[in-house]
């Protein structure tokens, strides 16, 4: 996407979270590389993946 | 009413669901008086807070995952949460739009085409001989 409303960095972060949940190693690596190039901190990446895993777990248990 | 039931009801109410709503997994957790339910509640609460992401960002990531998992209740919950934290309609639409893995889709299409070509090439001589 050329100009995401949420900003390139956050859009990549969301994409990484979705890729992690979908279990696509290739996509995770690609989005992670983009994020590192954009100067994202490791902590932001870890937190995005943490939130993704917790939301998925909540969905699995409750529904 | 045991402690586990109370915690389950709190979780359901925080998600905007009826407190008497039950699924097989919730019934199993409730009847077994699982000690992990409280941890589960703490974990879910912690998804909404982060030291490195603001609340709006947490809500939008939660929304993109909820949509990706086809989970209506969580989608409604995170949409409302993101709106409350100041996300615009365009930002919410963008989070909803991150539905699937683009690279994975492309890879699947390319591999399907290659497989089809390979199969066609493999079977052509057999048909050709007849």
């Amino acid at each position: 996407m050329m100009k995401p409303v949420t900003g390139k960095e956050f859009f990549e972060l969301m994409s990484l979270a979705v890729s992690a949940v979908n279990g696509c190693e290739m996509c995770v690596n690609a989005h992670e590389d983009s994020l590192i190039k954009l100067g994202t901190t490791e902590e932001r990446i870890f937190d995005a993946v943490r939130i993704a895993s917790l939301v998925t777990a909540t969905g699995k248990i409750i529904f | 009413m045991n402690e586990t039931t109370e915690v389950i009801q709190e979780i359901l109410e925080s998600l905007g669901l009826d407190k008497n709503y039950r699924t097989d997994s919730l019934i199993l957790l409730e009847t077994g008086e699982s000690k992990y339910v409280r941890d589960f509640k703490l974990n879910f609460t912690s998804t909404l807070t982060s030291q490195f992401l603001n609340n709006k960002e947490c809500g939008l990531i939660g929304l993109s995952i909820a949509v990706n998992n086809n989970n209506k209740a969580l989608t409604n919950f995170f949409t409302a949460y993101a709106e409350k934290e100041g996300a615009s309609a365009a930002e919410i639409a963008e989070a909803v739009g991150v539905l699937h893995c683009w690279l994975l889709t492309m890879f699947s299409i390319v591999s399907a085409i290659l497989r089809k070509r390979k199969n066609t090439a493999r079977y052509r001589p057999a048909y050709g001989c007849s």
Side-chain angles (χ1 to χ4, degrees), chain A residues 5-6 22 27 44 47 54 62, chain B residues 23 47 50 52 68 94 101:
Chain A
V5 187
T6 49
N22 288 338
C27 299
R44 271 174 75 80
D47 261 6
L54 286 171
I62 296 185
Chain B
T23 55
T47 59
S50 164
F52 304 99
N68 184 63
E94 200 165 87
C101 220

Side-chain angles (χ1 to χ4, degrees), chain A residues 15-40:
Chain A
S15 306
L16 173 76
V18 172
S19 303
V21 167
N22 288 338
C24 178
E25 190 185 347
M26 191 174 61
C27 299
V28 169
N29 288 339
H31 291 302
E32 194 184 3
D33 287 346
S34 303
L35 282 165
I36 290 166
K37 278 177 194 162
L38 290 165
T40 311

Side-chain angles (χ1 to χ4, degrees), chain B residues 107-128:
Chain B
F107 179 73
S108 310
I109 293 168
V110 170
S111 60
I113 292 167
L114 289 175
R115 212 178 306 126
K116 197 177 173 185
R117 278 188 184 172
K118 197 177 170 186
N119 288 344
T120 312
R122 190 186 301 159
Y123 295 122
R124 194 178 292 148
Y127 292 119

Side-chain angles (χ1 to χ4, degrees), chain A residues 41-52:
Chain A
T41 59
E42 274 192 350
E43 287 84 359
R44 271 174 75 80
I45 297 174
F46 289 151
D47 261 6
V49 177
R50 178 182 64 83
I51 290 169

